[in-house]
Amino acid sequence: MTKPTELDPQSLPRHIAIIMDGNGRWAQKLGLIRTLGHKAGVDSVREIVRVSRKLGIQVLTLYAFSTENWKRPKDEVSTLMNLLKTYLEKEVQDLCANNISLRCLGQIDKLPPDVRDVLLRVIDDTSKNTGMVLNLALSYGFRSELTKGVQEITRQCLEGNLSVDDINEETISNHLYTAGLPDPDLLIRTGGESRLSNFLLWQVSYSELYFTEIYWPKFREKELIDAIKQYQVRQRRFGKTGEQIKKQET
Ligand code: IPE
Ligand code: IPE
Ligand code: MG
C-alpha cells in the first residue's frame, strides 16, 4: 500500500473537492441494486474524510447530491436521504474527535425536514472544530448558487448598501456558499466521466482537474494519494510562463 509519507508535505492541496460518481454503475456491474452502491459509497466517504484529515488537508468538499439529482426515481432519492441522515448521526462523534467542522453547500431548505434537522445539529455541534472543514454539497448546483448570489448582490444595490461600480470578483466570491474558503486546488471526479456537472464552476477556475475511471466505492486511501501525487507533479502557472514559476520557487 502507498504510504502517505511519499507525498511532499510542503505542496499539499489546501482544498480538495470531489465529485463522487459511479456508485450506481459499481453496484450494477456486480449485479446489485444501485442503492447498494450508494451504501458502499458511504464507506469511501468515511475513509477519504479520515485520510484527508490525517494528511492535513484544510478543506474537503464532497459533492453528495446535486440540484439535478432530485429528478432521480423517488426510491433512490429517499435511500440517499436516509443514508445521509444515518451517516451524519453516526459520524458526529468522530468528526468532533478529529476536530473536523461540517458545513453544507446547497439548498438546505429543500432537504426533508428530518435530514435537515440532523444536518443543522451536526453543523452546530462541530462549528468550533478547527482541524479541517468538511463541506457536503447537498442539493447543490452552481447555477442555483450563482443565481442566489446575484439576487443578494442586486438587493444590496437596490437598498443602497452597495454601489454597482464596487462589485468585483471578491464581491461575487463572498456571495457564494464557499465564501471565506480557499478555492479548490485539486478537483477529483471518480466514475469515468469527464464533466463538471454543475459543480463549483466559479471556484474551480484554476483547480487542477483529475478524472479517474475508478468508481466511488473503490476510491480509497491509495487512490486519494495517487491523485495528490499527480497534483504534486503538475506545474500551476496561473497564466505565467514556466520560467517565471521556476524563478518564484527558487
Ligand atoms: C454518484 O453515483 C452519487 C450521486 C450522484 C448521488 P451515481 O449514482 O451517479 O452513480 P452512476 O453514475 O449512476 O454510476
Ligand atoms: C454528479 O453526478 C453529482 C454527484 C456526484 C452528487 P451525476 O451522476 O449526477 O452526474 P451526471 O448526471 O452524470 O452528469
Ligand atoms: Mg453518476
Side-chain angles (χ1 to χ4, degrees):
M1 193 126 108
T2 324
K3 290 203 188 81
T5 46
E6 290 175 36
L7 293 172
D8 173 5
Q10 300 309 318
S11 62
L12 285 171
R14 276 204 297 172
H15 182 172
I16 299 179
I18 309 183
I19 303 175
M20 308 184 290
D21 196 23
N23 292 348
R25 280 166 289 153
W26 174 82
Q28 283 163 333
K29 229 177 128 186
L30 295 175
L32 305 170
I33 50 167
R34 291 178 55 81
T35 47
L36 287 177
H38 297 313
K39 227 174 153 199
V42 177
D43 295 332
S44 291
V45 169
R46 282 205 187 90
E47 180 158 330
I48 295 306
V49 170
R50 181 181 57 77
V51 174
S52 300
R53 172 72 181 104
K54 186 174 74 181
L55 291 173
I57 304 301
Q58 292 174 25
V59 185
L60 175 67
T61 300
L62 300 177
Y63 202 7
F65 194 87
S66 73
T67 47
E68 289 75 22
N69 288 148
W70 291 113
K71 295 181 212 151
R72 290 194 177 194
K74 257 196 176 144
D75 280 8
E76 182 164 340
V77 171
S78 77
T79 303
L80 282 164
M81 291 299 144
N82 285 333
L83 280 172
L84 172 64
K85 190 177 159 195
T86 318
Y87 167 77
L88 291 168
E89 283 169 343
K90 276 197 189 158
E91 228 47 27
V92 62
Q93 279 189 333
D94 255 36
L95 293 176
C96 283
N98 290 298
N99 200 16
I100 299 170
S101 125
L102 183 85
R103 296 196 201 169
C104 175
L105 315 181
Q107 307 162 315
I108 296 194
D109 51 315
K110 292 253 164 71
L111 300 172
D114 57 329
V115 177
R116 190 174 58 223
D117 288 351
V118 178
L119 178 66
L120 291 174
R121 204 172 61 229
V122 178
I123 290 175
D124 193 48
D125 288 352
T126 62
S127 64
K128 303 233 156 52
N129 297 341
T130 52
M132 181 176 90
V133 172
L134 170 61
N135 287 320
L136 282 188
L138 293 170
S139 192
Y140 173 87
F142 177 70
R143 290 180 177 185
S144 139
E145 176 180 36
L146 182 64
T147 307
K148 186 177 83 59
V150 170
Q151 286 172 343
E152 285 169 10
I153 293 169
T154 310
R155 199 167 290 123
Q156 287 184 8
C157 289
L158 291 174
E159 287 168 354
N161 297 321
L162 179 68
S163 139
V164 171
D165 294 325
D166 288 338
I167 297 173
N168 54 28
E169 293 185 7
E170 207 186 333
T171 320
I172 295 174
S173 292
N174 287 340
H175 285 86
L176 299 177
Y177 294 120
T178 46
L181 295 173
D183 285 337
D185 300 295
L186 171 62
L187 171 75
I188 298 171
R189 181 172 187 143
T190 62
E193 311 295 356
S194 307
R195 56 175 172 257
L196 297 177
S197 305
N198 202 11
F199 190 47
L200 304 174
L201 300 185
W202 169 278
Q203 298 91 329
V204 300
S205 297
Y206 255 108
S207 305
E208 292 301 323
L209 307 183
Y210 181 88
F211 296 104
T212 169
E213 294 293 321
I214 296 166
Y215 294 132
W216 177 249
K218 301 295 280 182
F219 192 89
R220 299 294 172 98
E221 177 164 10
K222 177 192 176 298
E223 288 71 27
L224 177 65
I225 287 167
D226 286 348
I228 299 176
K229 271 191 194 158
Q230 168 66 236
Y231 165 85
Q232 293 192 325
V233 298
R234 296 195 193 168
Q235 186 185 50
R236 303 183 78 190
R237 291 191 285 277
F238 299 100
K240 297 182 183 173
T241 66
E243 287 66 35
Q244 285 177 299
I245 300 298
K246 273 196 206 120
K247 226 184 231 170
Q248 257 176 33
E249 285 168 355
T250 52

